Amino acid sequence: MRRSQINDIIRQGEAFIASFGFRLPPFAHWTPADWESRRDEADMILGARLGWDITDYGQGDFARTGLLLFTLRNGDAAALGRGRGMVYAEKIMISRDGQLCPMHHHGSKTEDIIVRGGAPIEVKLYNSGVDGALDRDAPVRVRTDGIAREVTPGGTLVIGPGESITLEAGTAHAFWASGGDSLIGEVSTVNDDETDNHFHQPVARFPDIEEDEPPYRLIVPDYARLAA
């Protein structure tokens, strides 16, 4: 992805998020210069990989396959293993009309996907088998706002504003906004985008960036340079 494209996506995302009265934490608005000057304060932010995250999943067509995410808080595997401390994570995301987040499941994370505002989302569901392949035979059992639901393999559920779906580890899912743009929340156990995302087609979770202009905001893949 070109840096200019990423910059535009973030600017548009900031405006869309603010239009619902949702306020991001102060570091969401740091410039690259702020990150350089405040690097010593930011160890937890960097280590937990909080902040802006833009992906086209390596497909080269963000409008059709992609997602804007902002990770607000995140614990770590050690806390999760102890069963105490910061064992949770939270994100806010934007899915544009018809924009696909590809089919994937998580090995350990359980998450609630919540439509905070805008258009509904459609969620396509499968179970994942022991070998990680999609189970095309067994019905999928999930809960939407605490209510048990069952869908056929590859079936979809529509989640409207204010509604949520709970996806346990091993439940394969893809989703997209339907009929407009959607503001989506995620509340989960500890999030690990490096090792706990298992996609069912070849994708690249983080983009290669063509630096055609300076960054407006840093995104998660930029943190490696700060850490160095």
Side-chain angles (χ1 to χ4, degrees):
M1 297 183 72
R2 297 188 308 277
R3 180 69 72 172
S4 57
Q5 180 187 16
I6 291 169
N7 289 344
D8 287 344
I9 290 166
I10 294 175
R11 289 188 180 98
Q12 294 165 16
E14 287 177 331
F16 187 73
I17 291 167
S19 74
F20 292 94
F22 193 99
R23 296 293 180 259
L24 295 170
F27 72 88
H29 310 291
W30 286 4
T31 65
D34 292 330
W35 279 101
E36 293 289 349
S37 65
R38 304 185 69 170
R39 166 65 185 83
D40 291 344
E41 302 175 57
D43 281 349
M44 183 177 179
I45 297 171
L46 295 170
R49 299 171 73 80
L50 309 184
W52 294 105
D53 181 358
I54 313 298
T55 182
D56 65 356
Y57 297 101
Q59 305 306 297
D61 189 352
F62 179 80
R64 294 186 63 181
T65 305
L67 197 64
L68 176 151
L69 312 92
F70 188 97
T71 302
L72 296 144
R73 46 191 55 84
N74 192 23
D76 57 48
L80 194 60
R82 292 193 304 269
R84 59 185 298 176
M86 198 170 184
V87 297
Y88 53 86
E90 181 186 6
K91 297 180 181 180
I92 194 76
M93 305 179 285
I94 299 172
S95 181
R96 299 298 185 179
D97 190 9
Q99 185 182 43
L100 175 67
C101 173
M103 185 66 65
H104 65 288
H105 71 273
H106 304 292
S108 62
K109 183 172 77 170
T110 292
E111 60 189 340
D112 275 14
I113 302 296
I114 311 144
V115 178
R116 296 295 191 189
I121 62 171
E122 295 186 41
V123 185
K124 186 173 185 176
L125 296 163
Y126 288 94
N127 295 310
S128 59
V130 175
D131 60 356
L134 298 178
D135 184 337
R136 301 185 183 275
D137 298 313
V140 186
R141 295 179 177 87
V142 296
R143 290 186 181 272
T144 56
D145 299 300
I147 305 299
R149 306 283 295 274
E150 181 174 296
V151 299
T152 58
T156 61
L157 290 175
V158 177
I159 309 299
E163 297 177 339
S164 68
I165 181 170
T166 300
L167 300 168
E168 295 191 6
T171 302
H173 54 284
F175 63 85
W176 56 91
S178 179
D181 301 334
S182 184
L183 184 68
I184 305 168
E186 177 184 309
V187 176
S188 73
T189 49
V190 170
N191 179 77
D192 182 354
D193 285 316
E194 294 286 351
T195 65
D196 197 40
N197 292 328
H198 305 282
F199 287 91
H200 293 263
Q201 64 185 69
V203 303
R205 174 60 182 81
F206 297 103
D208 292 325
I209 303 173
E210 177 187 338
E211 301 289 357
D212 62 333
E213 69 180 36
Y216 168 63
R217 303 282 187 242
L218 298 188
I219 64 173
V220 168
D222 295 320
Y223 293 173
R225 176 177 56 82
L226 284 174

